[in-house]
Amino acid sequence: MDSVAIFKVVFSLSVVVGLLFFFSYILKNYILKFTPVSKTDDIKIRDVKFLSKDKALISFEFDDKIFLIGFDNNSITKLYEREVKKDESG
């Protein structure tokens, strides 16, 4: 291989790497600043109780509802579900 071909390969590779860094900089500093971010967590785990080594109950909030889930080695079962009452006073 002659030196011109090696120069072309190295130059092309450096242009591609430079463009990748440029686009990642633009994405991080300009585009992601304007995307809305949720200030609340989507899923909030309220409590975990282990009944034995292989069985447990989990209580969590999701989508303004409270769920109670039971699980063991063989299955997962939804035991309870209800709406969360939000304070409207502020």
Side-chain angles (χ1 to χ4, degrees):
M1 236 185 191
D2 61 342
S3 61
V4 175
I6 293 173
F7 176 75
K8 287 181 181 179
V9 169
V10 170
F11 180 75
S12 299
L13 183 61
S14 63
V15 167
V16 169
V17 170
L19 286 173
L20 286 175
F21 278 115
F22 174 74
F23 286 127
S24 68
Y25 175 79
I26 295 295
L27 179 70
K28 184 177 11 168
N29 291 324
Y30 296 106
I31 296 174
L32 293 180
K33 286 183 180 179
F34 297 111
T35 57
V37 176
S38 174
K39 301 232 188 276
T40 60
D41 293 332
D42 290 337
I43 298 175
K44 179 182 177 186
I45 296 178
R46 298 169 53 111
D47 198 15
V48 177
K49 296 288 184 192
F50 284 93
L51 305 175
S52 70
K53 181 177 128 182
D54 299 329
K55 295 180 182 178
L57 297 172
I58 299 176
S59 172
F60 65 93
E61 291 182 32
F62 176 71
D63 198 23
D64 295 333
K65 293 181 182 177
I66 297 174
F67 295 92
L68 179 63
I69 303 291
F71 69 90
D72 60 12
N73 286 338
N74 300 322
S75 65
I76 300 173
T77 306
K78 180 175 80 168
L79 302 171
Y80 182 74
E81 173 184 344
R82 75 175 171 111
E83 293 286 328
V84 176
K85 296 178 182 173
K86 298 286 184 180
D87 291 335
E88 295 181 13
S89 61

